[in-house]
Amino acid sequence: MGIQLKMAVTYIALILAVLVVLNIYPVYVSEDFLFQSKQDSLTARAELYARTLAGLDELSPEGVEHVMGLLGAQETRVIVVSNTLEALYDSSVDANLEGSLMLENETRAAAGGYDYFRSRVADDAILSVAATPIMIGGLPAGAVCVYDADSSRAALLVDISANLRNMSLGIMVGIVAVCLLLSRFFTRRISRLLRSMRRVRDGDYAHRAEVGGNDELGDLAAELNALSERFEGVENMRKRFVSDASHELKTPLASIKLLADSMVQSDTMPPETMREFALDIAEETDRLSRLAQRMLDITRLDAGAPGDVEPIDFEPVVRRAARMLEPLAAAEEITIKMELEKECYVRASDDYAYRIVFNLAENAIKYNKPHGEVHIFLFRKEEEIRLIVADTGIGVPSEDLSRIFDRFYRVDKARSRAAGGSGLGLSIVYDAVRQYGGRVEAESVAGQGSRITVSFPAWREEAEQ
Ligand code: ADP
């Protein structure tokens, strides 16, 4: 069952229940009120007759007839019976019951000394009967029963309930119409939202839901749009990554293929050339495996898996990375100078901390000038640990500076490739630093050098507890 139908059925059932109560209760109350007033007036009349008849020495049909004639009964019917339930008087013209036994409830009760009253609504009249004993000498000598058929008040009751019914019907029709309109309005918006969700589910991330309104549905649509926007961003990034990655893979693979083909096809290749080609193949394979490792790092960081995060001392990590890069620096005749403060603790994974320092220092060497210098500083500044890697190298033109942290971005492709770069080193640094709550800033003057500053929140033992 659709939500529209469910809502409408629920509303209508509720309203129906309220209307039913509203229809029954007033009729019930007015009926009760009418019965009460009937009881008062009929009982008063019956008592009046009984008191007057009690003035007789004995209840004879003639005596009763005479008294009743004087009193002039106005009710529909008045019956007087003796205490043996014999009819003594009947005001009804058609029925002459005189002398016959009156075995009704009311006559029995009243002749036995009890007051009696009963009222009920018949088809077109309220039928009531009041009976009261005629007490002579302290004993019930007979009973007076007064009958009344009130059609005008019955008509009033019928009128009230008919009016209520018509009003309820009117209200019901109105409410059903409003309910249907409202639920249609809502469900139309829900259906629109649903359609949008399905489109997004099917991959149309550029789609935006237009539901309108300032209520929860509007909020839902806004959330959906924010979600699709995010999907769109992630999807675009994924596409770009895949296409950039395959592009990166193609070049070394093509070189390997070319080298291998020439080795296979040439019968006369001298062994030295053969060796050179094999070395080239090995180099390209190294490049590929470096690229694969970096792509793996990026994917891991993307998945929010920044390794085993624990408080680590950065100083030994920096020394380890510098030691590893010593041969590369020596080959380029570059000096690495370090000023490292001890006990610079950061919450990070040892593995990625090493990669951050290594990638920055490697770049500082790769993009340096012969006899250049690399300076590495590590110190604590207020609540932060700062790592600065500065070089006296070729620098980055200012228009490229904002993009060097992008994936696969390289200022000088040929130089990067020649140095074994993949364009992923800085983006790994950027992603990893962000994972540990830090930030990276790059400054550079083309032709003079660059300086990359990484700031981490400092880890303190006290803060942990
Ligand atoms: P790559 O593998 O190419 O070195 P990175 O992501 O590490 O990739 O760096 C991106 C680009 O930023 C490099 O290709 C280079 O052009 C530039 N770059 C990075 N570090 C430096 C630096 N210290 N000096 C000059 N240019 C740099």
Side-chain angles (χ1 to χ4, degrees), residues 363 366-367 391 395-396 404 409-411 416 421-423 425-426 450:
N363 281 350
K366 280 193 313 194
Y367 304 108
D391 62 62
V396 181
I404 56 170
Y409 189 76
R410 287 178 287 205
V411 178
S416 160
S422 58
L426 283 184
S450 319

Side-chain angles (χ1 to χ4, degrees), residues 294 359-360 362-368 389 391 393-396 403-406 408-413 416-417 420-428 444 449-452:
R294 292 200 156 173
N359 289 356
L360 291 178
E362 192 192 26
N363 281 350
I365 298 167
K366 280 193 313 194
Y367 304 108
N368 218 314
V389 180
D391 62 62
I394 57 167
V396 181
R403 303 193 55 193
I404 56 170
F405 294 103
D406 291 354
F408 298 109
Y409 189 76
R410 287 178 287 205
V411 178
D412 179 346
K413 278 201 171 39
S416 160
R417 194 162 283 137
S422 58
L424 286 177
L426 283 184
S427 58
I428 291 175
S444 188
S450 319
R451 166 203 276 261
I452 313 274

Side-chain angles (χ1 to χ4, degrees), residues 106-177:
E106 56 270 22
T107 48
R108 283 174 201 271
Y114 302 101
D115 283 328
Y116 180 97
F117 178 82
R118 205 165 82 89
S119 237
R120 73 190 166 87
V121 183
D123 292 343
D124 53 0
I126 299 174
L127 301 180
S128 318
V129 49
T132 192
I134 306 167
M135 305 297 280
I136 300 179
L139 289 171
V144 184
C145 304
V146 181
Y147 297 86
D148 176 78
D150 192 336
S151 50
S152 67
R153 290 197 179 167
L156 192 72
L157 270 186
V158 170
D159 246 28
I160 291 177
S161 55
N163 277 344
L164 280 175
R165 202 174 45 238
N166 292 342
M167 259 157 58
S168 304
L169 269 175
I171 292 174
M172 195 70 204
V173 168
I175 285 175
V176 166

Side-chain angles (χ1 to χ4, degrees), residues 6 93 107 118 136 179 223 277 279 309 313 354 363 372 375 420 426:
K6 259 187 211 159
V93 216
T107 48
R118 205 165 82 89
I136 300 179
C179 263
E223 286 299 319
F277 277 24
L279 277 175
V309 178
D313 188 353
Y354 175 79
N363 281 350
H375 293 260
L426 283 184

Side-chain angles (χ1 to χ4, degrees), residues 22-325:
L22 279 183
N23 264 274
I24 291 173
Y25 187 68
V27 174
Y28 173 79
V29 170
S30 4
E31 218 173 77
D32 204 50
F33 175 76
L34 281 182
F35 286 174
Q36 192 60 52
S37 78
K38 272 279 168 241
Q39 178 166 14
D40 292 348
S41 65
L42 282 194
T43 309
R45 291 295 295 176
E47 277 168 0
L48 173 74
Y49 298 144
R51 264 200 314 279
T52 320
L53 288 169
L56 295 170
D57 295 336
E58 96 182 297
L59 290 181
S60 64
E62 298 75 33
V64 173
E65 179 93 49
H66 177 66
V67 171
M68 292 310 288
L70 288 177
L71 287 173
Q74 304 142 5
E75 290 74 19
T76 312
R77 187 176 186 186
V78 181
I79 290 174
V80 181
V81 297
S82 71
N83 53 6
T84 53
L85 299 180
E86 261 175 61
L88 300 174
Y89 169 80
D90 188 348
S91 69
S92 164
V93 216
D94 328 323
N96 189 358
L97 300 170
E98 234 169 86
S100 60
L101 273 182
M102 302 298 291
L103 295 174
E104 305 295 333
N105 285 342
E106 56 270 22
T107 48
R108 283 174 201 271
Y114 302 101
D115 283 328
Y116 180 97
F117 178 82
R118 205 165 82 89
S119 237
R120 73 190 166 87
V121 183
D123 292 343
D124 53 0
I126 299 174
L127 301 180
S128 318
V129 49
T132 192
I134 306 167
M135 305 297 280
I136 300 179
L139 289 171
V144 184
C145 304
V146 181
Y147 297 86
D148 176 78
D150 192 336
S151 50
S152 67
R153 290 197 179 167
L156 192 72
L157 270 186
V158 170
D159 246 28
I160 291 177
S161 55
N163 277 344
L164 280 175
R165 202 174 45 238
N166 292 342
M167 259 157 58
S168 304
L169 269 175
I171 292 174
M172 195 70 204
V173 168
I175 285 175
V176 166
V178 170
C179 263
L180 286 178
L181 274 176
L182 270 182
S183 68
R184 246 182 112 118
F185 172 66
F186 274 120
T187 44
R188 222 187 11 237
R189 293 171 67 215
I190 291 176
S191 319
R192 216 180 293 159
L193 186 60
L194 208 64
R195 268 201 305 278
S196 293
M197 281 173 139
R198 292 200 175 119
R199 281 185 68 169
V200 174
R201 181 201 62 194
D202 293 340
D204 184 2
Y205 300 135
H207 173 75
R208 297 287 175 266
E210 272 168 35
V211 169
N214 286 328
D215 53 5
E216 285 83 348
L217 278 181
D219 291 350
L220 268 178
E223 286 299 319
L224 175 70
N225 288 344
L227 206 66
S228 342
E229 205 172 305
R230 225 175 129 172
F231 279 151
E232 199 182 11
V234 170
E235 180 64 8
N236 286 342
M237 211 159 89
R238 191 188 65 83
K239 279 188 188 146
R240 208 169 48 234
F241 185 75
V242 171
S243 92
D244 287 349
S246 17
H247 195 74
E248 286 302 320
L249 290 169
K250 251 168 41 195
T251 324
L253 283 174
S255 308
I256 293 173
K257 168 105 175 93
L258 198 72
L259 290 163
D261 280 353
S262 9
M263 284 163 87
V264 169
Q265 279 155 17
S266 157
D267 305 328
T268 56
M269 190 178 272
E272 308 88 75
T273 320
M274 192 81 105
R275 212 176 112 75
E276 236 169 70
F277 277 24
L279 277 175
D280 286 349
I281 289 180
E283 203 177 295
E284 291 298 328
T285 323
D286 272 352
R287 183 199 301 278
L288 277 178
S289 69
R290 252 195 327 269
L291 183 63
Q293 180 57 47
R294 292 200 156 173
M295 274 158 57
L296 206 63
D297 286 345
I298 288 267
T299 336
R300 282 208 188 115
L301 286 168
D302 267 355
D308 296 327
V309 178
E310 54 184 352
I312 53 157
D313 188 353
F314 235 82
E315 193 246 358
V317 175
V318 177
R319 287 196 189 284
R320 189 152 40 103
R323 219 171 24 251
M324 289 301 288
L325 285 165

